[in-house]
Amino acid sequence: MSEIPTPTQAPATPLSPAALHLALERIWHTPPGWGRLSAVNHTVIGRRFIIAAFTFFAIGGVLAMLIRAQLATAHSGFVGPELYSQIFTMHGTVMMFLFAIPMFEGVAMYFLPKMLGARDMAFPRLSAFGFYCYVFGGSILILAMLAGYAPNSGWFMYTPLSSGTYSPGINVDVWLLGITFVEISAMGAAIELTVSILKLRAPGMSLARMPLFAWYILVTAGMMLVGFPPLILGSILLEAERAFDLPFFDPTRGGDALLWQHLFWLFGHPEVYIIFLPAAGVISTILPVLVGRAILGYSWIVVSITAMGFLSFGLWVHHMFTVGIPHLAQGFFSAASVLVAVPTGIQIFLWIGTMMAGRPKLTVPMLYLLGFFFVFVCGGLTGVMLAIVPFDWQVHDTQFVVAHMHYVLVGGFIFPMLAAAYYWLPHFTGREPVYKVGVVAFWLIFLGFNATFLIMHLTGLYGMPRRYYTYDTGYGWDLPNLVSSMGGFVMTMGFALFAVDMLFQFRLGRVAPRNPWRAGTLEWATATPPPSYAFAALPEVASRDPLHDAPDLGRELAAGQGYLATPRNGWQETLVVSTNSGRPEAIAILPRPTFLPLATAAAIGLFVLSLLFKLYWASLLLPLLVLGLFLGWTPASGAKADLGALPAGRGLSLPTQAEIERPLSWWAMVFLLLANGTIFASLAFGTLFLWLVAPGWPPAGGFDAPFMRLALIALAALGASAASRLALRPLPRTGAPSLALLALALAAQAIAAGLALATIAQSLPAPTSHAAYASVSALLFYVAVHAGLGVVFAGFGFWRVKAGYVSARRSGDLRIGALWHDYTAATTLLACLLIAALAFLLPLREAAL
């Protein structure tokens, strides 16, 4: 659809249920054949994420078995050291980046709108775009592995091993560029999930009535917005060092290898909780259903997961106790690492209390939850042990750490997800599983896992290091490694049997009734499997368990007894509500299927490949193609006429979201800028870290800050922000902004970008000569990029006004642009102040130390 059309007359009488479903299916369906690639529906995209994640999980599992085959005996000749390094690196990379995060994204995309009583996510095209970025980025890594160019420096990519000096091929570049490509998907999903949870809910569903699963995903998405940017920045800086010789991590030119560890673990430790929290949300959702008792301590759980989200960002040095950090810092991070066990323990005790208050039945989902309790609690206890600095010194980089990590991640994520697979299988397929095969698969997985990793704690205490492709006899490692390898193959048989069972049930399972578990959450109010539009009419919610209050709610909604039960104009409609109370605010008109997400992701993929193969002439042109494709998304989100209040059902009339002050895209920009601010904060942290810690500071040539140019850059950015805000003032009176001020904002941003680039080229020593100059150049380049995008936002706003997309009511595009200009002004001012201060800080380094 090119734009929101003027509405036609709605039907005088409600449609019959059959006619209603046919009309909705015509509007919401995904085209067949090649048209499937244009799908944007959350049910379709969620399924694709889940299937792709399971595929990558199978690849990671095969790599794990190759590792165990190599380590089964001492001096094994199964694989050599180079191939082992690639296998080891790819196993960790696949499981952490290509399985765990995308799997929870897929589950969340599939179920959240249904749980929240909405018809789709806030930005369906963003979901599809994220899926293609994920698949393309993951495929780059897998194809590189098959071609013999897989990353080989560990999934953590520590410098200097991953620098150009010690890893001169493209193996490391494959990891840095491929993972950054995949992270685009994760950041898009985080924004999508956050806005959807806050703004697309059933009327009456306040935050206090949201399903716990939504709370878990909300906190997780917020953590992704803050936790992933440091890794993205670190990957960009390391790739810049490898490609352009900028010495951010080179200690001979003022860099420091520990900067990479800080940036990586600022992401890496929250990553553990980002993986665990969605699985914990699954437990809090299905455990009460399986035991027939409402969850205990709803409010306590919400507080606990929020506390985990905050505390997880204070633990990153937990992984760096042996690198030589000061003892005071070790004590602080040790205490923080122990403290985070408190909110985790609160949830576990409340789950156990819920089981004790109910009547558990040993169904297959319940077996996997019991397996979770045993495995994850063991992993949590060893985590507390590793938080104690003297103990960590003894077992750091041994197999003990490998065992702990797998007990936490497999116990905390895979066991709950396997329980979820059996619990929600009827929702996906409309069929019930046959449990006999599932029971055998569970015991093979549970026993095989513990045989593999429980004994690995002992191997680690015996001193066996991790990451080594072979070992000597005589240390007591031979028998434990053989047992671990045998257990690994037993566990693999269990996973294979699980996969066969799932495929078998898709075809031959018994037809399931609606809501076979008698759950209270709204996803069971849809048909199973669900239609593309989820709900024929949207419900009103008065409690946390709507289906317990109204067991026939699903049939009532299917008959059109709810909101938005009258299709019109071919619109894909759902409700926008207030963030806290769930009061209806507007009608969101969502985009139809389109190939634009696929084309945009493919263009970014070409850009990544151009960087990988050093085709930098193409790297300069392809961003213009990407920008043009993104601009091609915009007509579908605008209207050229004020539609006013439209009937929404049950006597309620609401405006479309284009006519409210803060549309969904405004909220998306807020959270995008939150993530962007984390990148800037990480860059500023890196600059100050190098100033304080790195060897070789101050640089031999000193640093004379170009104060006049910095002042002009800051003034230009502040002027653009002020002009964009002042341009909005005439809107309420005249229905149009000041085009002259929009043009002034565009010119000011262009001046800021040009001055920043000119300062790098003319006023600084060579960035390759010292990390101080490289850091200043990075800050100025950040300013130039954001000012350049400010030119795009100002020009886009100018065009939208001239094309008729802006009025007194329809001002969202300009308000989004103003947000960008404000952010650019703030970060430009901070960057210029930091660069100016650096000239005075350099002589004070010794005093600071």
Side-chain angles (χ1 to χ4, degrees):
M1 103 189 184
S2 61
E3 61 199 34
I4 298 173
T6 302
T8 58
Q9 182 65 35
T13 58
L15 298 175
S16 67
L20 172 60
H21 288 275
L22 286 173
L24 287 170
E25 185 59 33
R26 282 194 297 269
I27 294 172
W28 288 84
H29 82 289
T30 296
W34 289 103
R36 296 178 188 275
L37 296 176
S38 68
V40 297
N41 184 268
H42 79 282
T43 298
V44 176
I45 300 301
R47 284 174 176 166
R48 289 179 180 177
F49 262 105
I50 293 169
I51 293 170
F54 266 126
T55 302
F56 284 117
F57 177 71
I59 294 171
V62 171
L63 295 173
M65 290 305 95
L66 294 177
I67 293 172
R68 287 316 320 167
Q70 170 66 19
L71 296 179
T73 57
H75 300 295
S76 172
F78 184 67
V79 296
E82 173 60 25
L83 183 56
Y84 182 85
S85 294
Q86 293 189 22
I87 292 171
F88 160 75
T89 301
M90 283 299 296
H91 168 67
T93 299
V94 168
M95 290 305 196
M96 296 293 284
F97 296 101
L98 303 183
F99 165 64
I101 298 295
M103 173 59 74
F104 105 72
E105 290 172 4
V107 171
M109 286 181 185
Y110 182 93
F111 282 111
L112 265 178
K114 301 174 181 70
M115 287 185 175
L116 298 175
R119 284 183 173 146
D120 210 325
M121 305 290 286
F123 310 105
R125 293 176 299 178
L126 185 59
S127 300
F129 169 72
F131 170 75
Y132 288 120
C133 287
Y134 159 52
V135 170
F136 292 163
S139 298
I140 289 173
L141 289 160
I142 300 303
L143 291 174
M145 179 180 67
L146 296 176
Y149 296 100
N152 55 1
S153 299
W155 69 272
F156 34 79
M157 213 51 61
Y158 281 169
T159 57
L161 179 62
S162 58
S163 67
T165 302
Y166 300 101
S167 297
I170 67 168
N171 304 63
V172 172
D173 300 305
V174 168
W175 191 96
L176 294 171
L177 295 171
I179 290 302
T180 302
F181 195 5
V182 172
E183 295 306 293
I184 295 173
S185 169
M187 297 307 297
I191 293 171
E192 172 92 90
L193 294 169
T194 303
V195 176
S196 297
I197 293 170
L198 293 177
K199 301 302 294 182
L200 298 189
R201 304 195 301 269
M205 184 180 285
S206 64
L207 291 179
R209 291 175 180 168
M210 279 202 315
L212 278 173
F213 184 74
W215 273 108
Y216 278 97
I217 299 300
L218 179 62
V219 172
T220 302
M223 293 173 66
M224 292 168 66
L225 291 172
V226 179
F228 280 40
L231 176 63
I232 294 173
L233 174 68
S235 299
I236 293 172
L237 295 183
L238 182 53
E239 182 60 25
E241 178 173 301
R242 291 175 57 83
F244 307 114
D245 198 32
L246 300 179
F248 297 105
F249 309 103
D250 182 0
T252 65
R253 291 179 289 162
D256 196 320
L258 285 185
L259 175 59
W260 170 264
Q261 289 200 37
H262 280 289
L263 293 175
F264 183 86
W265 289 118
L266 276 168
F267 148 83
H269 202 86
E271 162 87 341
V272 175
Y273 298 95
I274 289 170
I275 292 173
F276 167 67
L277 282 176
V282 167
I283 297 168
S284 291
T285 300
I286 70 178
L287 179 65
V289 179
L290 296 178
V291 303
R293 174 67 165 82
I295 192 77
L296 296 180
Y298 176 99
S299 300
W300 280 100
I301 290 177
V302 172
V303 172
S304 296
I305 59 180
T306 306
M308 287 181 69
F310 281 104
L311 291 173
S312 66
F313 287 97
L315 315 182
W316 79 92
V317 181
H318 170 96
H319 297 266
M320 301 171 61
F321 285 156
T322 61
V323 302
I325 62 174
H327 289 175
L328 180 61
Q330 289 181 343
F332 172 82
F333 287 104
S334 177
S337 301
V338 174
L339 181 62
V340 79
V342 175
T344 310
I346 289 173
Q347 293 171 75
I348 291 174
F349 279 116
L350 289 171
W351 291 331
I352 294 173
T354 302
M355 283 196 298
M356 294 179 65
R359 294 183 178 181
K361 296 180 181 179
L362 287 182
T363 58
V364 173
M366 194 70 217
L367 282 175
Y368 279 107
L369 291 187
L370 293 174
F372 153 80
F373 281 110
F374 177 82
V375 174
F376 182 75
V377 169
C378 289
L381 292 175
T382 56
V384 173
M385 295 166 66
L386 288 168
I388 308 305
V389 176
F391 182 83
D392 183 83
W393 285 348
Q394 300 303 312
V395 299
H396 187 77
D397 267 346
T398 70
Q399 296 288 347
F400 188 95
V401 178
V402 178
H404 156 72
M405 183 174 67
H406 283 82
Y407 263 80
V408 170
L409 294 179
V410 175
F413 185 76
I414 292 180
F415 274 86
M417 284 303 176
L418 294 176
Y422 280 100
Y423 175 80
W424 275 311
L425 183 65
H427 204 285
F428 278 88
T429 66
R431 298 179 181 273
E432 290 183 311
V434 178
Y435 288 131
K436 293 181 180 179
V437 178
V439 171
V440 176
F442 164 76
W443 285 111
L444 287 174
I445 294 171
F446 181 77
L447 296 176
F449 172 82
N450 284 286
T452 303
F453 295 104
L454 184 62
I455 199 168
M456 207 176 284
H457 292 94
L458 179 63
T459 315
L461 290 174
Y462 281 170
M464 181 176 176
R466 57 176 172 166
R467 307 171 190 158
Y468 282 63
Y469 84 103
T470 190
Y471 54 93
D472 287 326
T473 59
Y475 293 100
W477 302 342
D478 301 64
L479 181 60
N481 271 292
L482 180 61
V483 173
S484 289
S485 295
M486 293 170 61
F489 282 97
V490 171
M491 178 174 57
T492 302
M493 292 168 56
F495 282 119
L497 190 58
F498 164 80
V500 170
D501 191 29
M502 288 289 109
L503 294 174
F504 183 77
Q505 303 312 326
F506 265 76
R507 302 287 297 180
L508 302 174
R510 298 187 302 270
V511 175
R514 186 190 290 266
N515 195 6
W517 299 100
R518 297 182 182 179
T521 44
L522 281 174
E523 78 271 22
W524 294 107
T526 70
T528 51
S532 55
Y533 48 88
F535 300 96
L538 300 185
E540 186 163 6
V541 169
S543 72
R544 294 170 185 160
D545 296 302
L547 291 189
H548 287 164
D549 297 340
D552 291 329
L553 179 61
R555 293 182 178 85
E556 294 171 2
L557 297 177
Q561 300 176 30
Y563 295 96
L564 299 180
T566 304
R568 56 189 160 202
N569 308 310
W571 290 350
Q572 294 186 353
E573 296 179 310
T574 194
L575 289 177
V576 179
V577 300
S578 65
T579 303
N580 183 29
S581 66
R583 178 179 52 81
E585 289 184 338
I587 298 170
I589 303 174
L590 303 177
R592 304 289 292 274
T594 172
F595 289 99
L596 279 171
L598 172 60
T600 309
I604 296 176
L606 290 175
F607 173 68
V608 169
L609 291 175
S610 71
L611 293 173
L612 183 61
F613 293 110
K614 317 300 181 187
L615 302 174
Y616 295 123
W617 60 269
S619 304
L620 296 175
L621 298 177
L622 285 168
L624 298 177
L625 174 61
V626 173
L627 178 61
L629 287 168
F630 272 123
L631 290 175
W633 293 36
T634 57
S637 61
K640 290 188 175 182
D642 292 335
L643 304 181
L646 301 176
R650 295 189 172 182
L652 182 67
S653 294
L654 296 170
T656 63
Q657 68 139 344
E659 297 179 30
I660 60 177
E661 184 176 351
R662 295 179 177 179
L664 298 178
S665 50
W666 185 91
W667 288 95
M669 178 57 74
V670 169
F671 293 113
L672 174 63
L673 294 179
L674 171 64
N676 201 343
T678 307
I679 291 181
F680 177 78
S682 300
L683 183 57
F685 163 80
T687 301
L688 293 173
F689 174 83
L690 293 177
W691 162 73
L692 186 63
V693 173
W697 282 61
F703 175 62
D704 296 323
F707 295 108
M708 183 57 67
R709 288 205 177 196
L710 292 175
L712 291 175
I713 293 170
L715 286 174
L718 291 170
S721 174
S724 69
R725 287 292 171 185
L726 292 173
L728 294 171
R729 288 194 172 183
L731 264 175
R733 303 190 312 272
T734 66
S738 169
L739 291 179
L741 287 173
L742 284 178
L744 178 61
L746 187 152
Q749 293 286 29
I751 292 170
L755 283 174
L757 293 176
T759 303
I760 296 173
Q762 301 171 1
S763 303
L764 296 178
T768 56
S769 61
H770 195 275
Y773 309 139
S775 298
V776 171
S777 298
L779 287 165
L780 287 171
F781 186 74
Y782 181 94
V783 168
V785 168
H786 285 73
L789 289 173
V791 171
V792 175
F793 275 102
F796 176 73
F798 197 95
W799 170 74
R800 294 288 266 195
V801 174
K802 299 296 287 184
Y805 286 97
V806 175
S807 70
R809 290 182 177 179
R810 292 174 282 112
S811 60
D813 293 325
L814 299 183
R815 297 185 187 280
I816 291 168
L819 280 177
W820 184 269
H821 296 309
D822 292 345
Y823 173 83
T824 301
T827 52
T828 298
L829 179 61
L830 291 173
C832 292
L833 289 174
L834 177 57
I835 295 169
L838 199 61
F840 300 100
L841 289 174
L842 288 176
L844 300 178
R845 176 180 143 110
E846 295 302 321
L849 289 173

